[in-house]
Amino acid sequence: MRARWGFALLAGLLVVLLGVLVAVGAGRDTRRDVAAAPAPEAVPTPDVRPAASGAWVGTWTGAPSGAEPGTRDGLPGRSLRNVMTASVGGSRARVELSNEYGTRPVTFTEVTVALAAGRGPAALPGTLRGLTFDGEGAVTVPVGATVLSDPVDLEVPAGAGLLVSVYAPEPSGPVTYHRMARQTGYSAAGEAAGDEGGAAYTRTTEHWRYVTGVQVFTPYTDGAVVVLGDSLTDGVTSTPDADHRWTDFLAARLREEPGAPRMAVLNQGISGNRLLRDAPFDRLFYGVSGERRLTADVLREEGARTLVVQLGINDLILDPHETDADAVVAGLTRLADEARAAGLHVAGATLTPFDWNRAESVRLERVRQQVNARIRAGEVFDVVLDFDRALRDPNRPHRLLPRYDSGDGLHPSDEGFRAMSAAVDLSRLAHGADRTL
């Protein structure tokens, strides 16, 4: 009996061991690659529900918004160090690079990732990791393409600062960038991607360059909330280097509040973005219409479960003004329906007040109120985020509450961004999600 019990115990242990080994790996030109190496052991943290195994999930994104002016031949011979913040943590990492707006292939001979020692270019000692792509230290990204690095062991705490550095020695086409990062980036002459101390990085920028995503491997997540938005999501009036966008406050709430779903927050805001129209030729950095961004900026994101739509204001206030509420609602509905068909839970925001163009203010305010009434009636989204109610002045509902106004009558202050986050019912963010990580 004892021998039989011993064999049964041994067999049970082998089953458990095999159950925690998963295949992880990197892919190229795709964000949905199947993993190919064993998952690292993870240590549970308080108030976190461990999954049976791990999964890849996006922890940070920066939607590419165009080709950086003045970089016709790229930035050859300079190392570029991007600074970002992980919304959730994990035990492995991989990085996404984009040449979406390039006109020639770009070859990176060194790419690194590290934990940030602070808000500057220095890495925490011993955390810098060189990245490979299909096992190679160099990678060439074709025109219009995106590549994903191989996984690398790196313990990334939730909320940690990250540094992703790239070096391209030869000229290429224009740099694909995110224009309004609200986060200082750095560059250095020569090959300094592996410089842990960061002393060589003497020039600064307000952009994220080439890097469009960071993913982590973790068993402690319920997936990702992907926010498709405009300058209010981009956080253009938030304090630089402070992570005071409304999505940053939301990520902190999801990490810290008891009982909250453990979800990453992926900010895909592009300043100037419109729901119904592509950017005009002289403002290409506004991006293609929100309706056309779903596949590239949402569905491809690893672990995406919930879509939040914060779009429509620019359709009203930018030329040509959209004055048909039915057209705006129809566009939001098409976007929501397409996301649901792909298996996403869909939340959407009401249009916030703006004091933009006095000659048009009465007519546009009427359109805004009509759109909001239909959103609140439940005609469009599974969950309504009433940012209008959260930000408006009760005595002058067509305007922002003064303490929430950055000063331009449209964009919130840091306190306003915090109020937007506070208006989100965390318990409803993950409802209805039917995707399996």
Side-chain angles (χ1 to χ4, degrees):
M1 289 294 293
R2 289 184 179 178
R4 198 176 308 166
W5 181 88
F7 282 118
L9 176 61
L10 178 61
L13 290 172
L14 288 173
V15 169
V16 172
L17 178 62
L18 291 172
V20 298
L21 295 177
V22 297
V24 292
R28 298 181 62 178
D29 303 318
T30 178
R31 307 180 193 179
R32 292 288 176 197
D33 296 316
V34 178
E41 185 177 354
V43 179
T45 56
D47 199 34
V48 172
R49 295 176 287 104
S53 61
W56 287 101
V57 63
T59 189
W60 173 88
T61 53
S65 58
E68 182 178 350
T71 64
R72 184 185 63 180
D73 297 318
L75 290 169
R78 297 199 67 82
S79 295
L80 311 176
R81 179 154 284 183
N82 300 273
V83 183
M84 61 279 291
T85 301
S87 61
V88 295
S91 55
R92 310 193 88 191
R94 56 190 187 188
V95 170
E96 180 185 273
L97 304 178
S98 175
N99 191 26
E100 180 173 338
Y101 291 95
T103 57
R104 285 179 284 169
V106 56
T107 297
F108 301 107
T109 56
E110 187 173 20
V111 183
T112 64
V113 63
L115 299 182
R119 303 305 297 188
L124 285 176
T127 67
L128 192 143
R129 302 285 189 271
L131 297 176
T132 60
F133 299 79
D134 283 351
E136 301 294 331
V139 62
T140 297
V141 189
V143 173
T146 296
V147 298
L148 188 63
S149 77
D150 301 326
V152 64
D153 291 337
L154 182 66
E155 290 289 343
V156 179
L162 293 171
L163 304 176
V164 177
S165 307
V166 300
Y167 175 70
E170 302 297 331
S172 62
V175 174
T176 293
Y177 80 137
H178 182 90
R179 185 171 65 105
M180 304 294 286
R182 304 306 286 173
Q183 172 63 61
T184 303
Y186 302 87
S187 67
E191 192 167 2
D195 176 11
E196 197 166 66
Y201 288 90
T202 58
R203 297 178 63 178
T204 62
T205 179
E206 296 180 350
H207 313 312
W208 285 308
R209 291 162 161 165
Y210 290 120
V211 183
T212 53
V214 179
Q215 301 172 7
V216 293
F217 187 89
T218 176
Y220 306 112
T221 182
D222 297 319
V225 177
V226 187
V227 185
L228 198 66
D230 51 37
S231 56
L232 272 69
T233 292
D234 215 5
V236 295
T237 48
S238 63
T239 299
D241 301 324
D243 289 337
H244 282 176
R245 309 165 193 86
W246 77 263
T247 53
D248 298 322
F249 290 122
L250 177 64
R253 290 186 63 203
L254 289 168
R255 289 194 298 267
E256 298 165 5
E257 293 189 14
R262 291 298 181 248
M263 302 185 78
V265 178
L266 304 181
N267 185 322
Q268 296 287 55
I270 296 178
S271 293
N273 197 227
R274 299 178 69 152
L275 171 70
L276 302 175
R277 292 178 180 268
D278 293 345
F281 182 75
D282 61 342
R283 293 287 188 275
L284 292 178
F285 45 74
Y286 287 176
V288 299
S289 72
E291 284 195 273
R292 295 179 55 201
R293 293 177 58 202
L294 185 69
T295 297
D297 289 345
V298 179
L299 299 183
R300 290 180 181 174
E301 294 306 328
E302 201 67 62
R305 284 181 180 268
T306 299
L307 168 65
V308 174
V309 180
Q310 183 273 300
L311 287 168
I313 295 175
N314 288 324
D315 293 82
L316 273 60
I317 65 177
L318 298 182
D319 290 325
H321 302 295
E322 179 55 69
T323 58
D324 183 356
D326 288 342
V328 177
V329 172
L332 292 172
T333 302
R334 288 191 296 268
L335 184 56
D337 287 346
E338 187 178 352
R340 287 192 197 96
L344 295 180
H345 187 46
V346 185
T350 52
L351 307 189
T352 54
F354 50 83
D355 186 12
W356 194 246
N357 183 326
R358 296 184 185 280
E360 295 282 348
S361 60
V362 174
R363 180 168 59 157
L364 296 182
E365 175 64 11
R366 186 181 302 113
V367 176
R368 186 180 77 88
Q369 293 291 355
Q370 291 170 348
V371 171
N372 285 349
R374 295 177 64 178
I375 291 175
R376 290 189 182 105
E379 294 184 22
V380 183
F381 303 113
D382 304 325
V383 177
V384 175
L385 310 183
D386 203 340
F387 290 162
D388 170 45
R389 189 182 303 275
L391 295 179
R392 72 192 182 198
D393 185 337
N395 297 317
R396 299 185 300 173
H398 61 287
R399 295 186 179 182
L400 296 171
L401 194 68
R403 72 173 183 270
Y404 293 159
D405 190 346
S406 66
D408 65 6
L410 172 65
H411 298 100
S413 61
D414 285 4
E415 192 174 352
F417 286 126
R418 189 185 297 273
M420 291 171 69
S421 167
V424 178
D425 182 349
L426 301 185
S427 68
R428 301 190 66 194
L429 275 183
H431 287 191
D434 194 29
R435 283 193 166 191
T436 302
L437 286 178

